[in-house]
Structure formats: C-alpha cells, structure tokens
Amino acid sequence: MFEEENVPNDQHSFGGSWTLIKLATLEKYLKAFNVALKDKPLKNKPFTRIYIDGFAGTGRCDITISGEKTTVDGSARRALLVNPGFDKFCFIELETKKMAALKLLQEEYPDKAIEIIQSDANLALKQVCKAYNWKNTRAVLFLDPYGLQLQWSTLEQIAETKAIDVWYLFPLAGLYRQMAKNANALDVDKENAITRILGTDEWKQVFYKPSPQDDLFGYNSGNVRDASHKEILQFVSHRLNTLFPAVLEPKILYKNKDRGAPLFALYFGISNPGQKAIVAAKNIANHILNSI
Ligand SMILES: C[S@@+](CC[C@H](N)C(=O)[O-])C[C@H]1O[C@@H](n2cnc3c(N)ncnc32)[C@H](O)[C@@H]1O
C-alpha cells in the first residue's frame, strides 16, 4: 500500500480513494478557516494565520483508484492555493529526497512566507509550538503520517497552545497491525510504539484478556487481543477527548468502496477552549465532514 518505488522526483506514491477524501476535507476547512478569521480583529489587528503540515510530503501525490493511476495536488500545495490565504506556511518533512520538491514549491510561490523544516515531526512541532505568540496567532495543523510516528507528547504540546485546529489522520490499520493477537508476541519496540501514540499503556488491560482456550498441553496460552476495530477506535477517541476541549466524531476511511477493515480515522480536534471558537470550528468542520 505504501510502495515508494519508481517515484518521480517531485511526487510521492502512496494513496487511494481515501487520499482524495482527506485532502478535500482539509482544503475545504482551510478555506473556511481563513474566511472566518480574515477580518476578525484582535484589538484592531487580525490574527496571524498559519498552516502547519507535520508530514508534508512533496506537494503532489500519485494515487491509484480502481487500478487507474492519477496525480493530485497534495496537502502542501493545496494549502498554498487556498484563497483567502494564510500569512505563513510551515512544512515539516523528514526525508531528504522530498526536500528538493518542497524547495521547488517555495520557488514557485515566491510571494508566500514558507518555512521548510527537515526534521522528525515530533521534534519540529514541539519547537513550532514554542516559537509563536499564540495570543495573536491561529493555526491549522495537518497530521498525515504513514504510521505510528506521531507521539502523544507532541499532541499535548499542540493542545497547550490553545490556538491550533488539528486534522489528524489516525492510522487505525497501522495500530491494529502492531497489536499482535497474542500478547506474548508483542515485543518491547511494538509495545513502546503503541504506548507512544496513545500516551498510555492502559491499552494492554483494555485490549488484551486471558485466552479462553488452553493450548495442546493444557496450558493457558496467555492474554489475547479481544478488541475489535470499533473498540480500538473508541479508545482513541476517548484519549483525544482527554486532551482537546473538543473532538469531532472521526470520518472513517476505507481502502475500497466495498469497505472491509478501516484504514484511517480522520479526526478534528480543537485546542482553543473558548466556547465561541469551539462552536465556530465545530460548525464548519461538521458541515464539511457531512458533505464529503
Ligand atoms: C502520507 S505522507 C504525507 C502526504 C502529504 N500530507 C500530502 O498530502 O501530500 C507522509 C509523509 O511523512 C513523511 N515522514 C515520515 N516520518 C516522518 C517523521 N517522523 N517526521 C516528519 N515526516 C515524516 C514521509 O516522508 C511522507 O512524506
């Protein structure tokens, strides 16, 4: 699914029909966010508006839908094209081979204030959260990792700004894959990765129960995972709700139209605790999620 062979220089092959849904949702929100905040003065000065892309890619994506390959604008490029526009853009990307494409994007839009940070998103986002005065700055952050890269501690810092709206494509299938059926098969690295993304090790008690069956020799085969995708999703939603003042019901994204197991859950979290801000952001995001 995440093959990266034969990828042209400025492109990045990874998506399917779910890619279009996440990108269309993000793009609509970015527009509505800027419309809503553009003329809203804070002591006679409008807010500085920033778009932050934690896993920016290259600005373009190759996707395959029903066997047909096509190329679409990725999140970074879509953010640059939004009108009314952001005051500033911050693109974070780990891989060196994607830097050239992001720098070309910067050259293509010389009038836009674009910062490119080559770094692990967790490190970079923690720095970005400290770098701004969030009293007069508002941001939309897109978190679109391949897998379990985003750490809970990073989300904590984001929520602490009380000023960032977050779209987080949570890797449900990736998390499920890491959760071996038998708890004995969970190695320390897997356990740590799951704990880092969920911010707690409570998942071990919640998702694993003593096996109802003994093995061939009559020994109990230990704890086994008895949580469904739905229960895992509920746990993730519960965790996010402990952090953000408001979190919408996620949009579940599947690989195909015929569904099967969910791939991702697209979450929207609001870090501003103000009731007016929550109502406004919720209304916009709900409207978009219901229309897509
Ligand atoms: C799913 S792609 C992002 C696609 C992009 N949002 C778009 O719409 O075009 C995930 C990206 O995260 C990058 N990445 C992987 N691990 C990372 C990390 N720890 N920190 C930052 N970027 C990372 C990958 O190189 C890849 O470009």
Side-chain angles (χ1 to χ4, degrees), residues 12 14 22-23 53-61 74-75 92-95 98 119-121 142 144-146 149:
H12 178 189
F14 55 82
K22 76 177 182 192
L23 289 172
D53 205 321
F55 299 81
T58 61
R60 287 206 203 281
C61 334
S75 52
I92 300 162
E93 169 60 49
L94 182 62
E95 285 190 13
K98 310 228 166 91
S119 166
D120 167 61
F142 185 39
D144 185 17
Y146 281 146
Q149 286 90 1

Side-chain angles (χ1 to χ4, degrees), residues 14 67 71 79 134 153 175 201 208 221 243 247 271:
F14 55 82
T71 300
W134 294 105
S153 56
L175 178 62
D201 61 6
Y208 287 84
S221 39
L243 202 54
V247 179
S271 47

Side-chain angles (χ1 to χ4, degrees), residues 148 150-153 189 191-200:
L148 276 55
L150 190 80
Q151 297 168 9
W152 187 258
S153 56
D189 286 348
E191 282 196 27
N192 288 344
I194 298 169
T195 298
R196 272 198 304 272
I197 194 172
L198 295 174
T200 173

Side-chain angles (χ1 to χ4, degrees), residues 83-109:
N83 187 14
F86 286 89
D87 301 303
K88 192 161 180 213
F89 301 82
C90 175
F91 298 151
I92 300 162
E93 169 60 49
L94 182 62
E95 285 190 13
T96 305
K97 64 182 181 185
K98 310 228 166 91
M99 281 299 120
L102 286 177
K103 290 196 174 129
L104 277 179
L105 202 54
Q106 206 174 27
E107 282 170 24
E108 208 182 312
Y109 294 92

Side-chain angles (χ1 to χ4, degrees), residues 51-236:
Y51 171 73
I52 309 166
D53 205 321
F55 299 81
T58 61
R60 287 206 203 281
C61 334
D62 276 352
I63 60 171
T64 307
I65 298 175
S66 311
E68 294 266 321
K69 270 201 153 196
T70 176
T71 300
V72 297
D73 286 348
S75 52
R77 188 175 283 275
R78 285 176 195 236
L80 286 165
L81 289 169
V82 159
N83 187 14
F86 286 89
D87 301 303
K88 192 161 180 213
F89 301 82
C90 175
F91 298 151
I92 300 162
E93 169 60 49
L94 182 62
E95 285 190 13
T96 305
K97 64 182 181 185
K98 310 228 166 91
M99 281 299 120
L102 286 177
K103 290 196 174 129
L104 277 179
L105 202 54
Q106 206 174 27
E107 282 170 24
E108 208 182 312
Y109 294 92
D111 56 329
K112 306 266 184 202
I114 304 173
E115 181 184 16
I116 299 171
I117 305 177
Q118 184 179 6
S119 166
D120 167 61
N122 296 289
L123 295 175
L125 286 168
K126 285 170 186 164
Q127 284 163 9
V128 169
C129 287
K130 288 195 192 121
Y132 289 95
N133 174 0
W134 294 105
K135 283 205 166 72
N136 53 17
T137 307
R138 293 290 179 268
V140 182
L141 166 64
F142 185 39
L143 296 168
D144 185 17
Y146 281 146
L148 276 55
Q149 286 90 1
L150 190 80
Q151 297 168 9
W152 187 258
S153 56
T154 307
L155 282 178
E156 284 175 332
Q157 303 243 329
I158 292 160
E160 268 176 33
T161 65
K162 300 182 177 5
I164 301 181
D165 291 346
V166 185
W167 286 96
Y168 181 11
L169 192 75
F170 188 91
L172 268 187
L175 178 62
Y176 199 78
R177 262 199 310 274
Q178 292 298 312
M179 290 187 181
K181 183 71 188 158
N182 195 305
N184 295 332
L186 278 168
D187 62 37
V188 176
D189 286 348
K190 278 187 182 160
E191 282 196 27
N192 288 344
I194 298 169
T195 298
R196 272 198 304 272
I197 194 172
L198 295 174
T200 173
D201 61 6
E202 280 167 24
W203 58 271
K204 290 183 212 167
Q205 286 82 54
V206 177
F207 296 151
Y208 287 84
K209 297 282 179 290
S211 169
Q213 281 170 351
D214 293 342
D215 68 13
L216 287 175
F217 306 101
Y219 293 112
N220 191 277
S221 39
N223 284 353
V224 290
R225 169 169 46 73
D226 76 343
S228 62
H229 277 100
K230 197 171 166 201
E231 285 160 323
I232 293 173
L233 183 74
Q234 280 167 350
F235 187 82
V236 175

